């Protein structure tokens, strides 16, 4: 009998739905595990944790809506300290949604995450938790685009330098606030987690956490807007792919010069393309008789000079010119005692 009662109590505890605080703690813990892990975000274990965390936080969000914990008509001081942490639900949902990896539904995921972050910022703006400007919503951007479409559209719109400087200054201020908030959180986090902190310390801890996530949500929305623009352009390209270029025959090589005469005089600046085959070159040189086996043709002037020198030598020998005869004998004697090429220092012989 006692065993049966124990079994029934166990079954009732298992079927009993978790409390609101348990759902938030589970979802928050899963987000911290996913955010601090070194494993790839697209891995199966990480994606399982992301889905589980989203389910816990969505269930907690439904319970908060049913309990009507927050209202625009109340002030921040009217919210109980234990209920402040539930302001974090939309921000955690947006952060976990950004951790999902599915390129086929990426645009839908980032749009959903933007809705979560914007809902979180609106609620914080209603309670005046921190001074900041809400990002533009899609409705405002649509109205602006319609007004621009009705009016004359300028061909070139110069950048608004004042707005750019204001945005830059706002980013610097947010960065400083984020660093100060993180430093304060690190000081009191251990006290709050120990369960021995006073109510004021716990309240400050939750408010500091909400302020830190305000800066994170603003940064995330900026990056989401940029990613959405890229994803929309990718969808347009997928729906209207560019037509493949028609194949054209290869162009003949040509020379680009300032003047055709300049090209003929100075050349193109690089080796010219071949104009004949090796066989054509051989046949052309064979016809002119300038191949090695045909000898090198000599000009008529060279032939006449050689014949004139021979005739002069023969005439001198016939006339018994002593000087010419002595020179010829000396040359013959020198050739008998010296080998061919002797004294040719240019060839280093």
């Amino acid at each position: 009998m006692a065993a049966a009662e124990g079994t029934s109590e166990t079954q009732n505890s298992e079927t009993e739905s978790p409390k609101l605080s348990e759902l938030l703690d589970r979802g928050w813990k899963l987000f911290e595990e996913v955010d601090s892990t070194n494993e790839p975000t697209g891995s199966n274990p990480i994606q399982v944790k992301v889905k589980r965390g989203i389910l816990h936080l969505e269930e907690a969000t439904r319970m908060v809506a049913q309990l009507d914990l927050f209202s625009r008509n109340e002030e921040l001081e009217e919210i109980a300290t234990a209920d402040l942490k539930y302001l974090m639900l939309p921000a955690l949902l947006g952060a976990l949604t950004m951790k999902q990896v599915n390129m086929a539904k990426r645009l839908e995921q980032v749009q959903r995450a933007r809705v979560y972050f914007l809902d979180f910022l609106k609620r914080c703006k209603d309670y005046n938790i921190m001074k900041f400007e809400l990002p533009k919503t899609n409705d405002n951007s649509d109205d602006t685009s319609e007004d621009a479409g009705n009016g004359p559209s300028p061909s070139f719109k110069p950048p608004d330098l004042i707005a750019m400087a204001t945005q830059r200054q706002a980013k610097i201020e947010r960065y400083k606030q984020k660093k100060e908030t993180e430093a304060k959180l690190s000081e009191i986090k251990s006290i709050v987690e120990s369960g021995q902190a006073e109510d004021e310390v716990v309240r400050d801890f939750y408010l500091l956490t909400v302020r830190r996530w305000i800066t994170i949500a603003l940064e995330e929305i900026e990056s989401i807007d940029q990613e959405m623009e890229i994803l929309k352009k990718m969808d347009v390209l997928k729906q209207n792919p560019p037509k493949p270029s028609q194949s054209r025959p290869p162009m003949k090589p040509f020379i680009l010069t300032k003047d055709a005469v300049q090209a003929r005089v100075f050349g193109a600046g690089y080796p010219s393309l071949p104009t004949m085959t090796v066989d054509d070159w051989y046949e052309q040189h064979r016809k002119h008789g300038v191949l090695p086996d045909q000898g090198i043709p000599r000009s008529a002037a060279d032939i006449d000079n050689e014949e004139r020198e021979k005739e002069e030598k023969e005439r001198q020998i016939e006339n018994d010119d002593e000087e010419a005869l002595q020179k010829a004998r000396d040359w013959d004697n020198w050739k008998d005692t010296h080998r061919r090429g002797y004294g040719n220092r240019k060839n280093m012989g």
Side-chain angles (χ1 to χ4, degrees), residues 195-213:
Q196 299 177 358
E198 297 180 357
D199 184 73
E200 294 181 359
V201 178
V202 176
R203 190 176 186 85
D204 290 340
F205 174 76
Y206 287 137
L207 288 176
L208 287 171
T209 305
V210 172
R211 292 190 182 102
R212 174 177 174 269
W213 272 93

Side-chain angles (χ1 to χ4, degrees), residues 199-253:
D199 184 73
E200 294 181 359
V201 178
V202 176
R203 190 176 186 85
D204 290 340
F205 174 76
Y206 287 137
L207 288 176
L208 287 171
T209 305
V210 172
R211 292 190 182 102
R212 174 177 174 269
W213 272 93
I214 288 174
T215 59
I216 294 175
L218 291 172
E219 294 173 357
E220 288 290 337
I221 286 181
E222 288 182 1
S223 62
I224 286 173
D225 290 341
Q226 296 176 0
E227 186 176 356
M228 285 173 57
E229 185 177 355
I230 295 173
L231 292 172
K232 288 178 180 179
K233 290 181 179 179
M234 291 174 61
D235 289 342
V236 172
L237 291 176
K238 289 180 180 178
Q239 295 175 1
N240 300 319
K243 297 180 180 180
S245 58
Q246 298 179 354
S247 59
R248 297 182 300 176
M251 298 179 62
K252 295 182 179 180

Side-chain angles (χ1 to χ4, degrees), residues 5 44 52 66 110 130 154 157 166 232 236 295:
E5 290 178 356
N44 188 47
R52 284 171 53 198
Q66 292 175 1
V110 295
M130 193 174 76
K157 184 178 180 181
T166 305
K232 288 178 180 179
V236 172

Side-chain angles (χ1 to χ4, degrees), residues 299-314:
S299 61
D302 295 338
I303 297 173
D304 293 340
N305 291 334
E306 290 181 0
E307 291 180 352
R308 198 175 295 110
E309 289 177 358
K310 288 181 179 180
E311 291 176 357
E312 182 67 20
K313 288 180 181 180
E314 292 176 356

Side-chain angles (χ1 to χ4, degrees), residues 66-85:
Q66 292 175 1
L67 295 173
D68 199 11
L69 290 181
F70 306 109
S71 174
R72 294 183 178 180
N73 300 324
E74 63 181 358
E75 299 293 333
L76 180 62
E77 292 76 12
E78 300 177 19
I79 302 177
T81 301
D83 295 340
L84 284 174
K85 59 183 179 181

Side-chain angles (χ1 to χ4, degrees), residues 324-335:
L325 290 172
Q326 186 62 33
K327 188 175 181 180
R329 292 192 187 100
D330 292 341
W331 176 244
D332 291 337
N333 295 332
W334 190 88
K335 287 194 295 181

